[in-house]
Amino acid sequence: MNLSSVSQNLLLALFGTLSITLGVASSTTAAQFSDTPLFKEVNSYETKINGDFADVYFPVTEPQKNTETFPIALFLQGALVDKSNYSKFASIVTSYGFIVVVPNHFNQNFVPPGFPQGFYSEEEEVNQVIDYIKSEKSNYNSPIHEIIDIDKLVLLGHSYGGIVGLNAIEGNCIYPYCIGEFTRPQELVGGAFYGSDFNQLGIFEQTPPINNDGIPIALLAGTLDGLASFNGIKTTYEQLQTPPKYLLGIIGANHYSITNTNNPFPIPDSTIPSIDQNVGIETIARWSSLFLKATVLNDQNALNYVYNLEYPLDINVNVISQLRYVPEPNSILSLLCFSTFGTTLWLWRKINCVTKGNKFSRPKSLAIILRNRLKFKFFFF
């Protein structure tokens, strides 16, 4: 092996180490992953949670697999939108392996000026649903008592409900989303929210930092949303302080592309969506589900789908994302120097130990290294 070859291999070691420092190697099983639901059949029942009527959706499992358990997903409704308008969305999320709870929360503490009293989500729903689910776990007459994972709760939300969810993840109690006190429960491990601008009510002079404490958050936004602007939701994404975080734009969707019908009474979005209503619902539900499976349930295949380039991007979406925390430049340089020294030393010894018939084989292309190693990616609109 000549000096030129040695130099090339050392250079490859340097770049390979850099890519390892910033990311994780891609999965070889990615090509076999399907983004279709895991369960063909979903069932539901109506109950009461702390006085509020609620729908509970759960996957129908095969008898031999009835020991499988599923995390709880609490859906926080948009202002004044009845729970029945989210049945399609909730059913699709459930089919990916969640138990979805959708309450009609009647709020007696907050009525916006000019609006009727009615359904406005509150942070107290989080602890109320956790208490309810724990009671269902010990209720042998409940259809879900055998399949509940009581240790994991994720939040889903629409519009006003998503803002409530962001505050709950942050652990703050800010009026009108919360009255009194709120402590984030340890079971709360992730969230995905559609059409939710953290400063949508204009209660802050500018959108403040959101201290999500490493809890994964996906924000989904319709590019034609006339009630919560895409730029406002993008600013909310930028103010999330720690990854994993995700911003998904649904092309042609308006504020109500998540509900069964467009513009359910009483707060209409005058912008007409260009995406079919059912396509919009499926797109929002699928990406919300796979993001949570990837980041909360550590599903490696879902992670590859959501964050990697191995899959062609859904034609209905665009993405900005961050998977891992990137250290400060000084920390990166120190780690890189240390890692590069070790890798280079290993490679030099490898080269010096080459014997006839046992040649060192380097990757075919530096581009392949960078493509396969980088797990921290940005896709811009």
Side-chain angles (χ1 to χ4, degrees):
M1 181 176 291
N2 59 35
L3 183 60
S4 176
S5 299
V6 171
S7 300
Q8 290 175 4
N9 282 312
L10 291 177
L11 182 61
L12 285 168
L14 172 63
F15 280 98
T17 302
L18 174 60
S19 58
I20 293 170
T21 302
L22 294 178
V24 183
S26 61
S27 171
T28 58
T29 62
Q32 287 76 43
F33 178 67
S34 171
D35 62 357
T36 57
L38 297 175
F39 299 92
K40 295 181 180 180
E41 188 176 351
V42 169
N43 211 338
S44 67
Y45 64 92
E46 189 176 56
T47 187
K48 267 195 171 183
I49 300 177
N50 203 54
D52 293 330
F53 285 101
D55 295 327
V56 179
Y57 299 80
F58 59 95
V60 177
T61 60
E62 299 175 14
Q64 63 270 27
K65 295 182 179 180
N66 59 6
T67 57
E68 188 174 5
T69 60
F70 307 100
I72 307 304
L74 165 60
F75 186 89
L76 299 163
Q77 67 202 123
L80 297 172
V81 182
D82 189 271
K83 61 184 175 62
S84 62
N85 278 290
Y86 299 108
S87 62
K88 292 181 180 179
F89 173 84
S91 295
I92 295 172
V93 173
T94 301
S95 70
Y96 279 93
F98 294 89
I99 296 172
V100 181
V101 181
V102 189
N104 258 350
H105 181 67
F106 191 84
N107 190 333
Q108 298 179 346
N109 300 312
F110 172 65
V111 181
F115 288 89
Q117 193 175 38
F119 303 134
Y120 301 95
S121 297
E122 287 184 270
E123 289 178 57
E124 65 178 26
E125 292 178 71
V126 174
N127 288 314
Q128 290 170 358
V129 166
I130 289 175
D131 291 341
Y132 169 78
I133 288 299
K134 288 180 178 178
S135 69
E136 287 292 273
K137 184 71 173 177
S138 58
N139 177 11
Y140 293 101
N141 293 320
S142 169
I144 63 172
H145 81 94
E146 289 185 327
I147 59 172
I148 304 171
D149 180 354
I150 60 174
D151 296 324
K152 289 187 177 67
L153 171 77
V154 297
L155 298 180
L156 303 165
H158 174 216
S159 189
Y160 184 92
I163 305 171
V164 172
L166 288 169
N167 277 283
I169 288 174
E170 196 174 21
N172 283 338
C173 187
I174 300 175
Y175 182 83
Y177 315 112
C178 173
I179 304 294
E181 297 181 354
F182 178 81
T183 300
R184 184 182 69 215
Q186 64 180 7
E187 293 91 347
L188 179 47
V189 292
F193 310 112
Y194 180 74
S196 301
D197 174 356
F198 195 62
N199 198 23
Q200 198 164 335
L201 296 185
I203 64 176
F204 305 109
E205 184 175 343
Q206 58 184 15
T207 304
I210 302 170
N211 299 309
N212 57 310
D213 198 25
I215 292 178
I217 294 177
L219 298 176
L220 300 94
T223 60
L224 297 182
D225 194 321
L227 297 180
S229 73
F230 175 80
N231 286 335
I233 297 173
K234 184 173 182 290
T235 299
T236 301
Y237 165 83
E238 292 166 349
Q239 290 294 71
L240 294 172
Q241 296 300 289
T242 51
K245 59 180 185 176
Y246 208 77
L247 175 61
L248 187 87
I250 295 87
I251 300 170
N254 77 349
H255 197 66
Y256 292 106
S257 290
I258 190 175
T259 52
N260 290 0
T261 58
N262 184 36
N263 280 336
F265 180 81
I267 310 173
D269 183 349
S270 59
T271 306
I272 300 174
S274 60
I275 192 172
D276 177 80
Q277 195 72 18
N278 288 325
V279 173
I281 294 169
E282 189 279 331
T283 301
I284 298 166
R286 169 165 43 91
W287 283 93
S288 298
S289 303
L290 292 177
F291 171 82
L292 292 171
K293 288 177 70 69
T295 58
V296 171
L297 302 183
N298 300 316
D299 186 319
Q300 184 62 48
N301 288 326
L303 189 73
N304 287 332
Y305 180 89
V306 172
Y307 276 97
N308 267 5
L309 284 177
E310 278 105 349
Y311 298 94
L313 198 62
D314 186 335
I315 62 171
N316 294 314
V317 304
N318 285 311
V319 177
I320 300 174
S321 64
Q322 185 177 346
L323 176 59
R324 297 282 184 257
Y325 169 70
V326 179
E328 294 297 325
N330 289 342
S331 301
I332 291 179
L333 182 59
S334 300
L335 180 60
L336 179 61
C337 290
F338 177 80
S339 301
T340 303
F341 174 77
T343 304
T344 305
L345 179 61
W346 171 85
L347 182 56
W348 185 266
R349 293 179 63 186
K350 183 82 174 179
I351 293 170
N352 284 332
C353 290
V354 167
T355 58
K356 187 174 181 180
N358 186 30
K359 294 184 179 180
F360 177 72
S361 176
R362 65 176 178 84
K364 295 180 180 179
S365 165
L366 179 58
I368 293 177
I369 295 179
L370 296 178
R371 184 195 68 190
N372 290 342
R373 294 289 186 182
L374 280 178
K375 203 74 160 191
F376 169 51
K377 298 186 179 75
F378 292 92
F379 303 97
F380 294 98
F381 292 88

